[in-house]
């Protein structure tokens, strides 16, 4: 019994000493793990105008996904500039619209296709040029009323895109290139949703010495639910403004793979279009 108390006391002193050397911030500025902009489901503020095909069939008009998201740290603990950790909120609404000319009525139509909601928590770590993101979230996907009415869907449709997930992602900056990769799993029973998930990618960006910077990136997401068919996003664009003030990025973006939005995630899409990214929070 005495040894248990001795070990408990030593552990308490060790933890107390560690926190005594750590600076704690409430609602700090910035983030330790930068958002993965090319992940279609990432918590970010963005908008796109794209032309696409689905299962080899061209879709008329434009597909317009946009996102309103925030990644905001509650608490940050740091020993120095290169060693820190934080607990952060991760919330986003990813909405998609279909916009086209209705030849029957000779008028422009704009219908909500779908909206995905995600809310979660992140624990981020930074060690010099390396950073880690550990995340748990709930995601649910909902077809828009416009889509349901237009397609006369008055019956129940299976929807496996209503689940919880835990994942971990590692990121490393090597000069002007950022490399990242990780994996995760759904917490739903495998009878409701196949569990495994993996992701990797890279982003190249000109140094921040300039107020405008060219950048390019490639992202690949693979999930067991769609038989690990890769969802690949590629982009090339320019970032405008100072890094500390939430710069605006404009990019040409292309995508191939399972539709990342809605319950129709088994459908293979190809698209190209113009994207806008902004991080005001």
């Amino acid at each position: 019994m005495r040894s248990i108390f001795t070990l408990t006391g030593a552990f308490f002193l060790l933890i107390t000493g560690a926190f005594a050397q750590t600076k704690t911030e409430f609602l700090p500025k910035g983030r330790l793990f930068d958002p993965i902009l090319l992940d279609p489901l990432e918590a970010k503020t963005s908008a796109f105008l794209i032309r696409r095909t689905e299962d080899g069939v061209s879709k008329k008009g434009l597909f317009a996904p946009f996102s309103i998201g925030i990644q905001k740290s509650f608490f940050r603990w740091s020993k120095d500039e290169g060693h820190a950790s934080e607990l952060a909120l991760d919330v986003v609404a990813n909405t998609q619209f279909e916009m086209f000319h209705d030849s029957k009525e000779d008028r422009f139509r704009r219908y909500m296709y779908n909206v995905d909601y995600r809310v979660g928590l992140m624990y981020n770590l930074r060690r010099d040029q390396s950073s880690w993101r550990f995340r748990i979230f709930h995601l649910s996907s909902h077809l828009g009323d416009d889509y349901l009415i237009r397609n006369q869907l008055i019956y129940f449709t299976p929807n496996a895109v209503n689940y919880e997930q835990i994942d971990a992602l590692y990121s490393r900056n090597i000069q002007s290139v950022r490399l990242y990769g990780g994996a995760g799993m759904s917490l739903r029973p495998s009878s409701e949703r196949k569990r495994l998930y993996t992701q990797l990618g890279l982003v190249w960006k000109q140094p921040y010495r300039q107020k405008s910077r060219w950048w390019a990136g490639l992202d690949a997401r693979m999930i067991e639910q769609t038989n690990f068919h890769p969802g690949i996003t590629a982009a090339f664009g320019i970032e405008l403004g100072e890094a500390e003030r939430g710069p605006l990025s404009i990019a040409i973006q292309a995508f191939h793979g399972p539709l990342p939005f809605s319950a129709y995630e088994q459908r293979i899409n190809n698209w190209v279009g113009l994207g806008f990214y902004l991080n005001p929070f």
Side-chain angles (χ1 to χ4, degrees):
M1 182 65 70
R2 181 179 300 177
S3 61
I4 293 176
F5 280 114
T6 301
L7 289 173
T8 302
F11 179 75
F12 176 78
L13 289 174
L14 180 63
I15 295 298
T16 303
F19 275 96
Q21 301 175 9
T22 301
K23 176 184 176 183
T24 301
E25 297 177 81
F26 178 62
L27 299 179
K29 293 182 179 180
R31 51 182 67 86
L32 298 182
F33 192 97
D34 290 333
I36 306 298
L37 289 185
L38 297 185
D39 183 346
L41 299 179
E42 188 78 342
K44 60 184 181 295
T45 300
S46 62
F48 303 89
L49 291 172
I50 58 182
R51 291 295 305 272
R52 68 178 179 129
T53 64
E54 186 170 87
D55 289 337
V57 179
S58 295
K59 307 292 285 188
K60 63 180 180 178
L62 293 173
F63 194 54
F66 77 91
S67 303
I68 298 177
I70 180 173
Q71 294 182 357
K72 180 60 180 176
S73 175
F74 293 127
F75 295 99
R76 181 176 297 163
W77 303 275
S78 56
K79 290 185 177 181
D80 53 53
E81 188 174 335
H83 292 71
S85 61
E86 66 183 8
L87 181 65
L89 178 69
D90 178 55
V91 177
V92 65
N94 291 305
T95 306
Q96 306 88 46
F97 284 91
E98 295 177 306
M99 303 189 299
F100 59 92
H101 180 264
D102 189 335
S103 57
K104 292 183 179 179
E105 299 189 13
D106 193 24
R107 59 182 294 186
F108 177 78
R109 295 285 193 182
R110 177 183 58 83
Y111 290 119
M112 178 185 284
Y113 172 73
N114 180 79
V115 59
D116 297 327
Y117 298 105
R118 195 184 75 224
V119 58
L121 289 174
M122 301 185 299
Y123 181 69
N124 301 325
L125 288 171
R126 176 172 291 173
R127 296 294 183 267
D128 298 321
Q129 298 303 310
S130 296
S131 55
W132 291 261
R133 182 186 73 189
F134 302 94
R135 184 175 63 172
I136 182 170
F137 66 79
H138 167 79
L139 184 145
S140 61
S141 187
H142 309 269
L143 290 170
D145 291 343
D146 296 335
Y147 182 88
L148 294 173
I149 294 171
R150 183 160 57 95
N151 291 277
Q152 299 181 350
L153 297 177
I154 56 175
Y155 50 86
F156 173 79
T157 57
N159 183 4
V161 190
N162 184 4
Y163 62 93
E164 294 74 38
Q165 179 174 299
I166 57 172
D167 54 47
L169 202 63
Y170 170 73
S171 174
R172 173 79 177 179
N173 292 321
I174 305 174
Q175 296 182 349
S176 299
V177 177
R178 180 191 187 191
L179 304 172
Y180 60 86
M185 63 179 297
S186 167
L187 299 180
R188 289 295 173 106
S190 56
S191 59
E192 295 182 21
R193 182 175 181 84
K194 296 178 181 178
R195 293 190 169 186
L196 299 182
Y197 149 91
T198 186
Q199 182 175 12
L200 53 89
L202 62 89
V203 176
W204 166 83
K205 187 181 295 183
Q206 280 188 314
Y208 276 106
R209 293 188 298 269
Q210 306 162 3
K211 290 189 177 180
S212 62
R213 299 159 295 278
W214 294 105
W215 68 277
L218 185 70
D219 178 85
R221 297 176 70 254
M222 291 157 282
I223 60 176
E224 188 178 3
Q225 183 70 19
T226 55
N227 300 315
F228 296 111
H229 189 128
I232 300 174
T233 305
F236 175 78
I238 188 168
E239 186 179 74
L240 305 172
E242 298 179 7
E244 297 79 10
R245 298 186 177 181
L248 169 68
S249 287
I250 304 172
I252 297 173
Q253 179 175 298
F255 175 83
H256 165 79
L259 184 64
F261 315 112
S262 87
Y264 298 128
E265 60 184 339
Q266 301 289 341
R267 297 178 178 179
I268 302 301
N269 275 241
N270 293 280
W271 69 56
V272 64
L274 187 64
F276 303 85
Y277 305 88
L278 183 64
N279 282 310
F281 305 110

